Amino acid sequence: MSYTKKNLRDVEDAAAGRGLSDIGEARFAGGALEAESTGLAYHRLNPGKRQGFGHKHENAEEVHVVIGGGGRVRLDDEIVELTTMDALRLSPEVTRSFEAGPDGMDFLVFGPHHEKDGELNQDFWKD
């Protein structure tokens, strides 16, 4: 078939599967959409919550689009404010971690899919 349609609410919530529902949702839809080279993820951060780690890539440039609420993102050593409809392009090597404001934050992430391309940093954003 030349297309695949999937409601993102029907994609498995990886955050729930890892016991992170108190922080939000993480739905990685590339596989569910049968995408061959494109990655797509939907993230929901609950009000005032922060992702528990930072991450970067070796190859995958990403575009993050805030579709609801707002908050902040730490990009290496810089903090950037985000509001609804902000689009943020990130080079692969930039370590990033998101934090929701008082209304929470919903955002989509688009980029090429490269298997085992991500590197996690558990201690990236400490208070």
Side-chain angles (χ1 to χ4, degrees), residues 14-101:
R18 291 177 175 79
L20 300 172
S21 294
D22 61 319
I23 295 172
E25 299 175 30
R27 300 176 187 272
F28 299 95
L33 289 168
E34 302 172 348
E36 295 178 13
S37 59
T38 303
L40 169 66
Y42 164 73
H43 293 275
R44 163 81 182 150
L45 290 175
N46 294 330
K49 296 293 185 175
R50 177 185 296 162
Q51 290 176 322
F53 54 86
H55 83 280
K56 65 181 179 178
H57 296 279
E58 184 175 329
N59 298 298
E61 176 183 68
E62 294 178 335
V63 175
H64 299 247
V65 181
V66 179
I67 59 173
R72 308 183 310 162
V73 59
R74 178 173 174 191
L75 305 172
D76 291 331
D77 293 323
E78 185 175 349
I79 306 289
V80 176
E81 297 289 327
L82 296 170
T83 62
T84 301
M85 297 307 294
D86 280 347
L88 177 68
R89 182 205 57 86
L90 295 176
S91 296
E93 68 277 359
V94 175
T95 302
R96 75 287 313 250
S97 182
F98 292 80
E99 176 183 66

